[in-house]
Amino acid sequence: MGTTRDRSRATVLSAVLVLGVPVGTFGLVLAGTYLGGGAASLLGLVLVVAWVVGLVRLLGRWVGCWVALFAVLLAGLATGAVAMARDDVILRLSGETVTARVAGETDRLAGKHPSSMYDLAAEDGTALPGGELSTGLRTLAVGDRVTVRFDPAGRADPQRPGDISLPRDLGLAVGLTAALMLAVAWLGRESARRRGGGAAGPVS
């Protein structure tokens, strides 16, 4: 009886963790878009704690903590991909195309792919809503003019029209989210099988 109950609990817990993947990745992006960065940060903290606790209960302390670390990293990548897809949708549906002037430059040299971030201004000198334009390292210089698509409400970072690729970004978001869901589902199935006596040795 106890073994069956343990297996059922493991199955239910793994199902909750699997469903938590799309809820977390898409929920964080929606919270940041409509509720602000504070709400997104709070939701992110709650999700990380819940994920770590859930994976530790499912897999045991040692394995669960390591799996949780990699799961959170992969979830972060998936959330970033969802955010890029969201920006593509916003810029396509409500964006405007203008010729802006580069008003400032910040280089990011760390990592494998150095890049530059550019502050943009409209022709009248006012800052363009939505943050900075990201390109390859030193693609532009202060004073250059560049054609971009931006969101007047400031919900998405401006992008050059040729850099907007919804199929690519949406495919990446769905692929990373699906990979994480499948991985958690497999771990949950293995945990339930072991609890049911399908393999020797304790779970934790």
Side-chain angles (χ1 to χ4, degrees):
M1 176 71 72
T3 299
T4 302
R5 186 182 298 113
D6 287 344
R7 183 172 57 187
S8 298
R9 287 176 178 173
T11 300
V12 171
L13 179 56
S14 64
V16 171
L17 290 172
V18 169
L19 292 176
V21 175
V23 171
T25 54
F26 288 88
L28 281 172
V29 173
L30 291 175
T33 302
Y34 297 105
L35 301 178
S41 298
L42 180 60
L43 177 59
L45 179 62
V46 171
L47 288 170
V48 168
V49 172
W51 256 67
V52 171
V53 172
L55 287 169
V56 166
R57 289 181 63 87
L58 183 67
L59 304 172
R61 283 192 298 269
W62 178 250
V63 176
C65 285
W66 280 107
V67 171
L69 174 62
F70 287 107
V72 168
L73 291 175
L74 184 56
L77 293 175
T79 302
V82 173
M84 289 191 297
R86 173 212 58 189
D87 286 357
D88 292 345
V89 172
I90 291 174
L91 293 176
R92 279 175 176 255
L93 295 180
S94 59
E96 298 179 7
T97 301
V98 298
T99 299
R101 179 175 55 82
V102 177
E105 176 186 359
T106 302
D107 293 333
R108 295 183 176 177
L109 304 178
K112 291 184 177 180
H113 305 288
S115 62
S116 293
M117 307 293 293
Y118 298 100
D119 296 316
L120 300 178
E123 290 295 337
D124 61 2
T126 59
L128 215 62
E132 301 169 306
L133 171 68
S134 176
T135 71
L137 185 63
R138 295 166 189 160
T139 305
L140 302 169
V142 174
D144 285 353
R145 280 174 166 73
V146 58
T147 299
V148 296
R149 193 161 178 83
F150 78 103
D151 175 37
R155 296 167 298 176
D157 291 335
Q159 295 186 49
R160 293 178 295 186
D163 294 337
I164 300 174
S165 178
L166 180 58
R168 177 198 63 202
D169 293 338
L170 185 60
L172 182 61
V174 172
L176 288 172
T177 301
L180 185 53
M181 292 175 69
L182 289 173
V184 174
W186 181 82
L187 289 170
R189 184 181 67 108
E190 289 299 300
S191 177
R193 183 175 64 84
R194 291 182 180 182
R195 291 170 190 256
V203 179
S204 57

